[in-house]
Amino acid sequence: MFLRKSTPRSLSIASRFGLKHRRLASTKSLKETIEEVIPVKQAHLKKLKTEYSDVSIGDVKVGNVIGGMRGLRAMLWDSSVLDPEEGIRFHGLSIPDCQKALPTAPGGKEIIAESMLWLLLTGQVPSVEQTRGLSRELAQKGNLPPYVESLIDSLPRTLHPMTQLGIGVAALNHDSSFQAAYENGIKKSEYWTYTLDDSLNLVARLPALAARIYRNVYRPGAALPEIDPELDLVGNYSKMLGYGDNNDLTEYLRLYISIHGDHEGGNASAHTAHLVGSTLSDPYLSYSAALFALAGPLHGLANQEVLRWQLSMLKEVGEDVSHDTIREYLWKTLKAGQVVPGYGHGVLRNPDPRFIALQEFCDSKPELLSSPIIQLVKKTYEVAPNVLKEHGKTKNPYPNVDAASGCVLYHYGLTEFKYYTVIFGVSRALGCITQLVWARALGLPLERPKSYSLEAIEQLAKSGGP
């Protein structure tokens, strides 16, 4: 991406992180900054179409087709790329890069959602002033419409929180700027502006929606605090959950939501949002579909499964546990035909940098260092990779982000397992809405891959291709 000339201050910061092509953005608004970048991206896409449309970038094997399309290079997703060895990068920036460069909340140390969202949407590191301005804009837009409040309040407490979140997000479609503009007739070149409007409204309202679900299910009758225009998005979310006085939990949520917000486009929730968005469904409908993908046990429910397993181990082996005892418990799990939750990943072949970032957060907090559940997570990490290598049935014996995320929430008192995926849902919106905006700005087409029957696949395989 080509970016405008940097100021001396931003050049020094970029150079310090080895990011000489990047800059801290100016005082321009988010929309103005995106407008500046669009022509460059459009020109790059045009070049790819003109010069490389017929160039192969990989083969399609039968194993790819019947194996969940793993590894197929078949999707444009510009905001992040997941490398099997080094992990996720956001417009080229690693998680440690982001922790050094992106603005934090006033008085805080962790990345906040607004600075990550700005980076994802623009490829630029925002200034503190721009980040604060986006925080105020989201706070101003953050209240739920009364009809959504009534809808959520009418749902049974026994309905899964993720189901409620998807319902609430879909209902926000009632006020979609994109849908209204499309029905009135707009130019394709204007699609992205209305998509951006909807996307920012969605991100802004997710904390109030998610907090209302938490209140209704777990704390019925409790008052919901008003949105504070001086707080960042996650600061308000933590406050509405009832944990606003717990600065450590709030900081943890800031870190978790920021680094978990985008993980390239091939995962189930991101791909679902992109697929539905390619039909020109508005961001509310597109992201509600993504949330229902996220609710699946093979995707977003993993962190609660890890926590259940860790608590079961803690109950059986006790707090003062040795590495040998953990090793025995791991083998007991594997010999029972079960997987070790929180280990392995569909793409990664090394420890997940998100896991490392959460572990470093734990290492910085004395109360977490002395927590039995957190210590068990750490000791398990010291033992599990070698056990899994010896077992020989996993391509990646290292921990992913879920190996630590739920256990920290549990330590800080947010112990309602079923709610954890809702927090994931608040986070993953950052990457999904970024893709929706850019798909409209670049005029990406309706997604329509070709499918084949078992017989047709066999015939193609025998004949050596189509």
Side-chain angles (χ1 to χ4, degrees):
M1 179 184 295
F2 300 102
L3 303 177
R4 289 174 286 124
K5 185 177 179 182
S6 304
T7 64
R9 176 174 178 267
S10 62
L11 275 172
S12 66
I13 290 176
S15 298
R16 194 190 318 161
F17 302 126
L19 312 170
K20 294 181 180 180
H21 64 295
R22 300 196 176 272
R23 60 182 293 278
L24 283 172
S26 68
T27 57
K28 291 181 180 292
S29 69
L30 179 60
K31 186 174 182 179
E32 290 170 337
T33 307
I34 296 172
E35 280 181 313
E36 256 188 2
V37 180
I38 283 176
V40 179
K41 289 288 189 182
Q42 289 174 334
H44 195 176
L45 180 63
K46 183 177 180 180
K47 179 182 179 181
L48 285 175
K49 287 181 178 179
T50 302
E51 299 183 15
Y52 302 106
S53 282
D54 296 326
V55 175
S56 174
I57 58 173
D59 297 324
V60 179
K61 297 181 173 62
V62 172
N64 299 129
V65 178
I66 63 177
M69 298 192 291
R70 294 287 175 105
L72 286 183
R73 298 178 181 129
M75 192 175 179
L76 171 59
W77 190 279
D78 207 45
S79 55
S80 67
V81 174
L82 182 59
D83 181 86
E85 302 301 325
E86 68 174 17
I88 194 68
R89 283 185 177 268
F90 310 104
H91 286 291
L93 304 189
S94 67
I95 288 175
D97 291 335
C98 291
Q99 289 175 304
K100 294 173 183 175
L102 293 179
T104 64
K109 296 181 180 179
E110 303 298 339
I111 310 169
I112 60 173
E114 291 88 336
S115 57
M116 177 59 78
L117 178 59
W118 192 292
L119 173 64
L120 294 176
L121 279 166
T122 69
Q124 300 181 16
V125 174
S127 66
V128 171
E129 293 76 14
Q130 287 173 315
T131 306
R132 300 287 173 267
L134 182 55
S135 290
R136 287 189 287 271
E137 179 183 352
L138 295 179
Q140 185 180 19
K141 296 177 175 180
N143 288 312
L144 293 176
Y147 68 86
V148 174
E149 292 181 343
S150 298
L151 173 63
I152 295 301
D153 292 348
S154 72
L155 298 175
R157 290 178 58 198
T158 52
L159 188 63
H160 196 288
M162 279 300 289
T163 309
Q164 297 192 40
L165 186 65
I167 290 171
V169 168
L172 288 169
N173 153 269
H174 179 274
D175 298 328
S176 170
S177 297
F178 178 84
Q179 185 183 65
Y182 186 84
E183 289 176 356
N184 290 329
I186 54 171
K187 298 177 181 178
K188 288 184 177 180
S189 61
E190 298 174 345
Y191 283 179
W192 76 269
T193 63
Y194 296 97
T195 302
L196 178 64
D197 289 343
D198 281 350
S199 295
L200 292 180
N201 281 329
L202 170 59
V203 170
R205 290 171 172 176
L206 275 172
L209 176 59
R212 195 172 196 91
I213 293 167
Y214 182 78
R215 190 279 309 268
N216 288 355
V217 174
Y218 302 110
R219 298 182 181 179
L224 278 170
E226 295 292 325
I227 293 174
D228 185 343
E230 298 305 313
L231 286 177
D232 63 291
L233 186 82
V234 177
N236 269 309
Y237 183 31
S238 180
K239 178 183 175 184
M240 288 187 284
L241 287 174
Y243 294 93
D245 293 334
N246 190 331
N247 185 64
D248 287 338
L249 174 58
T250 302
E251 280 282 271
Y252 174 75
L253 287 171
R254 286 173 176 139
L255 174 64
Y256 172 80
I257 287 174
S258 296
I259 65 175
H260 215 28
D262 196 23
H263 214 231
E264 76 166 24
N267 64 78
S269 54
H271 188 191
T272 299
H274 173 72
L275 171 63
V276 177
S278 78
T279 72
L280 296 186
S281 284
D282 63 69
Y284 304 112
L285 296 180
S286 301
Y287 194 59
S288 67
L291 288 169
F292 292 125
L294 191 65
L298 294 183
H299 190 14
L301 297 192
N303 58 5
Q304 58 185 282
E305 297 303 320
V306 172
L307 181 55
R308 285 195 183 94
W309 181 78
Q310 291 279 2
L311 289 173
S312 296
M313 191 199 315
L314 187 65
K315 182 178 180 181
E316 181 170 324
V317 303
E319 295 184 3
D320 189 16
V321 60
S322 68
H323 288 99
D324 287 339
T325 303
I326 293 174
R327 186 176 293 105
E328 291 174 5
Y329 192 88
L330 287 166
W331 276 113
K332 175 183 174 182
T333 299
L334 293 169
K335 289 177 179 178
Q338 301 171 350
V339 299
V340 176
Y343 283 76
H345 191 273
V347 177
L348 290 171
R349 295 297 174 260
N350 275 317
D352 190 336
R354 299 171 299 174
F355 171 84
I356 301 300
L358 298 185
Q359 279 293 288
E360 289 173 349
F361 178 91
C362 293
D363 290 342
S364 72
K365 305 294 180 184
E367 73 276 10
L368 293 179
L369 287 174
S370 62
S371 166
I373 189 67
I374 300 301
Q375 282 304 301
L376 187 58
V377 169
K378 189 171 184 177
K379 289 182 178 180
T380 301
Y381 171 41
E382 294 165 354
V383 174
N386 286 334
V387 170
L388 291 169
K389 287 177 184 178
E390 186 179 345
H391 188 242
K393 293 185 178 181
T394 178
K395 294 181 179 180
N396 175 18
Y398 299 106
N400 58 56
V401 66
D402 296 313
S405 58
C407 298
V408 180
L409 295 173
Y410 186 86
H411 169 83
Y412 281 127
L414 210 165
T415 58
E416 296 86 2
F417 290 14
K418 284 187 176 181
Y419 188 77
Y420 290 177
T421 314
V422 173
I423 301 173
F424 190 173
V426 173
S427 170
R428 188 47 58 90
L430 304 181
C432 289
I433 66 99
T434 294
Q435 176 68 3
L436 293 172
V437 171
W438 276 101
R440 302 290 76 78
L442 296 175
L444 298 186
L446 174 69
E447 186 174 291
R448 179 59 168 89
K450 182 73 179 80
S451 64
Y452 289 93
S453 67
L454 288 171
E455 290 79 8
I457 291 172
E458 185 174 8
Q459 290 173 7
L460 285 171
K462 289 179 177 179
S463 65

